[in-house]
C-alpha cells in the first residue's frame, strides 16, 4: 500500500473515523416533535373521531387505496451503523525524514497530536534503531518501572520497535532511525532492511486508528507495499 508523502501536519480528524453523511446527501435537520395537547371538543351532535389531525393547509388529493403495512412490522429502532474504517485497518501517514532526523520528526508529530487534543496515553512511539532518549532515560531506572509506565497508559510511551512486550495503542508513531544509508556497508544495509521489514508490519498491527511513519519514503513504501 504505497504511501503518499505528506507534510508533518496531523489533524484531529485523522485519529479516528467519524460518521459523516453519504456523498451528495445532506444530513436532515432534526425537527422538534410536538407533544400531546388538549384537543378541541367536537361540535354537539357530530360523531367523535379518533383520527389525529393532519398538517395544516389544503387537503391532499386522494391517492387511492393505501397498501397494508408489511407483516411482522415492529417499532424497534434500526441497528446502529458500524464504524467505518475498522475492517480496512488504521489510516497510514508518511512523514519524509532522513534516518538522522526521524526521531525529531516523530517528536514533532507527537506534539501536533497532543495539541489537537489526542490523549497522551493513546500514543505509542517506536524506534527501529537507537532507543528514543526518553526510553533510554527511563530504562536506566530498571525494566520493571519502565514497563509499568506502559501498563499505566497515562502518558506517551517510547519503546524499541522490536520489543515483544510492547502493546498496541490507538496511534502509533514509528521513527525509522536505523541509520541505513547508501554509503553504509552492504551487510549493514541488509541488517537494517531486515529490522525495518519486521518493525513496520508489527507497528501496523499495533495501531488501532492511525500509523505515522517517519523516514525514507522509498524504504517505507517498499516494506509496507509488500505487506499490503
Amino acid at each position: 500500500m504505497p504511501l503518499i508523502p505528506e507534510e508533518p501536519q496531523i489533524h484531529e480528524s485523522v485519529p479516528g473515523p467519524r460518521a459523516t453523511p453519504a456523498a451528495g446527501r445532506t444530513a436532515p435537520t432534526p425537527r422538534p416533535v410536538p407533544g400531546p395537547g388538549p384537543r378541541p371538543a367536537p361540535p354537539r351532535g357530530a360523531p367523535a373521531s379518533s383520527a389525529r389531525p393532519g398538517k395544516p393547509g389544503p387537503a391532499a388529493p386522494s391517492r387511492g387505496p393505501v397498501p397494508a403495512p408489511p407483516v411482522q412490522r415492529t417499532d424497534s429502532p434500526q441497528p446502529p451503523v458500524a464504524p467505518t474504517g475498522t475492517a480496512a485497518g488504521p489510516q497510514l501517514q508518511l512523514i519524509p525524514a532522513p534516518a538522522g532526523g526521524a526521531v525529531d520528526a516523530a517528536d514533532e508529530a507527537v506534539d501536533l497530536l497532543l495539541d489537537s487534543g489526542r490523549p497522551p496515553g493513546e500514543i505509542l512511539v517506536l524506534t527501529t534503531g537507537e532507543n528514543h532518549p526518553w526510553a533510554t532515560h527511563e530504562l536506566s531506572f530498571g525494566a520493571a518501572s519502565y514497563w509499568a509506565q506502559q501498563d499505566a497508559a497515562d502518558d506517551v510511551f517510547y519503546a524499541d520497535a522490536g520489543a515483544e512486550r510492547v502493546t498496541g495503542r490507538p496511534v502509533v508513531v514509528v521513527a525509522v532511525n536505523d541509520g541505513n544509508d547508501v554509503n553504509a556497508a552492504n551487510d549493514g544495509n541488509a541488517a537494517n532492511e531486515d529490522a525495518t521489514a519486521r518493525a513496520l508490519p508489527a507497528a501496523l498491527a499495533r495501531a488501532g486508528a492511525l500509523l505515522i511513519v517517519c523516514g525514507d519514503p522509498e524504504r517505507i513504501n517498499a516494506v509496507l507495499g509488500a505487506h499490503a
Side-chain angles (χ1 to χ4, degrees):
M1 53 178 77
L3 303 177
I4 300 174
E6 300 181 7
E7 293 298 325
Q9 299 178 357
I10 292 81
H11 303 283
E12 180 54 19
S13 59
V14 165
R18 297 181 180 178
T20 56
R25 297 177 56 187
T26 57
T29 303
R31 298 182 179 180
V33 179
R39 299 181 183 178
R44 182 174 299 177
S49 173
S50 61
R52 291 179 291 180
K55 296 181 180 179
S62 175
R63 295 182 296 176
V66 179
V71 183
Q72 298 180 349
R73 184 175 181 179
T74 65
D75 293 329
S76 55
Q78 295 295 324
V81 179
T84 58
T86 54
Q91 182 178 349
L92 307 179
Q93 182 174 351
L94 169 62
I95 298 178
V103 170
D104 290 338
D107 286 341
E108 184 177 354
V110 170
D111 289 341
L112 291 172
L113 287 165
L114 297 175
D115 289 344
S116 68
R118 175 69 67 173
E122 294 187 358
I123 303 173
L124 169 66
V125 180
L126 302 175
T127 54
T128 62
E130 293 183 0
N131 280 339
H132 189 279
W134 182 94
T136 301
H137 177 266
E138 294 301 319
L139 281 168
S140 67
F141 298 102
S145 61
Y146 169 75
W147 291 109
Q149 295 182 61
Q150 173 182 247
D151 298 337
D154 56 5
D155 204 351
V156 181
F157 189 72
Y158 300 80
D160 182 353
E164 295 182 356
R165 292 183 61 177
V166 175
T167 57
R169 289 194 177 185
V171 180
V172 176
V173 182
V174 182
V176 183
N177 65 327
D178 49 35
N180 181 28
D181 94 24
V182 293
N183 296 320
N186 291 334
D187 291 343
N189 281 341
N192 290 332
E193 288 299 338
D194 288 344
T196 303
R198 291 190 301 268
L200 294 184
L204 183 63
R206 291 183 174 114
L210 174 65
L211 173 63
I212 302 172
V213 186
C214 307
D216 177 61
E218 185 176 353
R219 292 182 61 199
I220 295 167
N221 281 325
V223 173
L224 292 180
H227 291 80

